[in-house]
């Protein structure tokens, strides 16, 4: 039974990076949720919660950094912005007209 295409070299390394980042995100997300509940409970009970709130803010920032890194790893690498990616030649009939009128 096949599990999909076999990855080698750079593709395998990139896949491992994504998987490792997913694991880190899961762990960070779990402990951030736990810290949120602990901070909320401390606030409701009237206990000092400044330290918990600061730790929660740091953890949320770490989650956001990890999500951003995950998105950059998932984004396909292509030409940069402003680089045309369409065909470099005019349509086959050579007219360059798509048949739709343009406003002048």
């Amino acid at each position: 039974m096949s599990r999909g295409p076999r990855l080698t070299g750079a593709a395998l390394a990139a896949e491992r990076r994504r998987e490792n980042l997913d694991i880190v995100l899961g762990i960070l997300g779990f402990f951030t949720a736990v810290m949120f509940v602990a901070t909320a409970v401390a606030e409701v009970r009237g206990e000092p919660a400044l330290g918990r709130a600061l730790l929660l803010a740091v953890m949320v920032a770490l989650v956001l950094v990890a999500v951003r890194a995950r998105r950059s790893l998932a984004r396909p690498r292509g030409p940069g912005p402003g680089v045309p990616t369409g065909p470099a030649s005019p349509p086959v009939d050579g007219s360059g007209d798509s048949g739709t009128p343009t406003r002048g």
Side-chain angles (χ1 to χ4, degrees):
M1 184 150 59
S2 177
R3 301 173 101 186
R6 223 154 177 27
L7 299 176
T8 57
L12 183 61
E15 183 64 24
R16 283 187 180 167
R17 267 186 249 119
R18 283 190 291 269
E19 288 175 356
N20 289 341
L21 200 50
D22 284 342
I23 292 169
V24 169
L25 265 170
I27 293 170
L28 269 174
F30 172 77
F31 284 106
T32 300
V34 169
M35 199 67 221
F36 175 78
V37 171
T39 303
V41 167
E43 285 290 339
V44 168
R45 289 184 178 174
E47 298 171 1
L50 178 62
R52 291 178 183 150
L54 291 174
L55 181 59
L56 177 61
V58 168
M59 291 178 75
V60 167
L62 287 174
V63 167
L64 292 175
V65 167
V67 166
R68 192 171 192 158
R70 176 65 173 103
R71 283 186 182 165
S72 72
L73 284 178
R75 187 178 310 128
R77 302 287 181 198
V83 177
T85 58
S89 60
V92 176
D93 64 2
S95 67
D97 186 55
S98 62
T100 57
T102 59
R103 293 184 182 172

